């Protein structure tokens, strides 16, 4: 690891000015789990590392009955997992956070850092997308709000401007009849990164699906909603046959990655299986 200057600004504006002045040789650090690994491997060689730890604007988990959930960018995955507010109002989000990577990462890594790194094989982005989340971005120039679909642009690429940082995540209030399920598939129990993940958020009445938001991740470049399958599920009484037909649509409509962890065809087959089982499981059907 090369030598670098370590800076600790106390405000968003101060951190933003440093980013603007130093440019490409500057990196922000939240939890540091991804950045320090990249620096040790010489994949990143910044001259300046800007810690966000002293910026209070980035902290906290709060819930408002009208506005919904606010998660500060510096909230750790374990904070989200253990938050009584998240467990009560967004149980799928708490369940997802409890399975991110491994205990070391969950207790050090932050949800904001995770989103900004934009690793396709990670858990929070797709789950948050299925909940209709937005991100708040800030700089010395002010703040702006983006749906998470617009924030995640491409493979390891976000909509952040060079002088911006992620301040918080906002999750809207969910309908009283809503229920969700987050599912992840790993090739082996020893792996920490899913090969497929799927987030399914529904409004339902018994076996009847009133509305669905379905997002596939890990096997796609960025988390991907599947509008055709969502529209197909809406208004249906969910049976195993309906679940299987919707899963075929999901597998057909996404563009899967191909790499050393799995070919595009293998990933597509696994997406089909995970989608069918997830839909069936959420509606109390045997997910074989």
């Amino acid at each position: 690891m090369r030598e670098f200057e370590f800076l600790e600004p106390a405000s968003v504006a101060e951190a933003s000015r440093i980013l603007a002045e130093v440019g490409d040789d500057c990196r922000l650090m939240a939890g540091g789990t991804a950045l320090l690994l990249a620096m040790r491997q010489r994949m990143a060689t910044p001259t300046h590392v800007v810690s966000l730890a002293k910026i209070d604007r980035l902290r906290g988990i709060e819930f408002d009955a009208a506005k919904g959930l606010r998660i500060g960018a510096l909230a750790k995955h374990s904070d989200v997992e253990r938050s009584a507010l998240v467990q009560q109002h967004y149980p799928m989000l708490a369940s997802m956070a409890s399975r991110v990577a491994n205990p070391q990462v969950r207790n050090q890594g932050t949800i904001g850092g995770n989103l900004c790194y934009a690793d396709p094989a990670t858990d929070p982005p797709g789950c948050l997308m299925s909940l209709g989340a937005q991100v708040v971005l800030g700089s010395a120039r002010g703040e702006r709000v983006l749906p998470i679909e617009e924030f995640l642009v491409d493979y390891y690429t976000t909509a952040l401007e060079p002088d911006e940082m992620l301040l918080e995540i906002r999750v809207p209030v969910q309908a009283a009849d809503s229920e969700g399920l987050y599912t992840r598939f790993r090739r082996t129990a020893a792996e920490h990164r899913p090969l497929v993940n799927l987030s399914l958020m529904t409004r339902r009445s018994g076996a009847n699906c009133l509305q669905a938001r379905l997002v596939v991740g890990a096997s796609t470049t960025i988390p991907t909603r599947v509008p055709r399958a969502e529209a197909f599920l809406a208004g249906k009484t969910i049976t195993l046959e309906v679940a299987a037909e919707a899963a075929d649509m999901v597998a057909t409509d996404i563009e899967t990655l191909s790499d050393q962890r799995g070919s595009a065809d293998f990933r597509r087959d696994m997406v089909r299986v995970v989608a069918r089982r997830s839909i069936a499981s959420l509606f109390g059907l045997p997910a074989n």
Side-chain angles (χ1 to χ4, degrees), residues 13 17 35 39 41 67 88 95 97-98 119 127 161 169 173-174 178 198 209 231 238-239 254 256 272 275:
R17 285 192 289 269
L35 177 62
M39 290 172 67
Q41 295 176 342
K67 297 180 180 179
Q88 178 182 354
S95 173
S98 72
D119 181 350
C127 185
E161 296 292 339
I169 300 104
V173 175
Q174 304 297 298
S178 64
L198 186 141
C209 178
I238 305 302
T239 63
I254 61 170
T256 50
R272 180 180 289 106

Side-chain angles (χ1 to χ4, degrees), residues 2 32 74 81 83 85 93 109-111 119 142 151 155 164 174 201 205 208 217-218 242 246 249 251 262 267 273 277:
R2 295 179 180 176
L74 288 181
E81 171 193 354
S83 167
L85 294 172
L93 186 58
T110 65
I111 192 165
D119 181 350
F151 176 71
Y155 197 71
E164 278 187 318
Q174 304 297 298
M201 196 69 196
S205 175
N208 299 316
V242 168
M249 294 179 186
R267 289 174 184 268
V273 172
R277 290 178 176 176

Side-chain angles (χ1 to χ4, degrees), residues 43-77:
M43 296 172 63
T45 55
T47 60
H48 294 69
V49 172
V50 179
S51 169
L52 302 177
K54 291 187 176 181
I55 304 179
D56 291 337
R57 172 71 175 82
L58 310 184
R59 298 193 176 278
I61 297 176
E62 303 158 2
F63 178 78
D64 180 275
K67 297 180 180 179
L69 185 70
R70 174 196 170 275
I71 305 174
L74 288 181
K76 296 179 174 64
H77 301 294

Side-chain angles (χ1 to χ4, degrees), residues 7-8 11 49 62 70 106 119 132 134 136 140 165 173 199 206 229 232 234 241 248 275 288:
L7 304 173
E8 297 181 280
S11 69
V49 172
E62 303 158 2
R70 174 196 170 275
R106 290 195 292 274
D119 181 350
Q134 298 176 316
V136 181
M165 63 209 72
V173 175
S199 304
F232 173 77
E241 292 74 20
D248 286 340
N288 296 325

Side-chain angles (χ1 to χ4, degrees), residues 9-28:
S11 69
V12 171
E14 184 182 357
S16 175
R17 285 192 289 269
I18 295 170
L19 287 173
E21 291 170 3
V22 179
D24 292 341
D25 289 327
C26 186
R27 292 289 186 275
L28 296 178

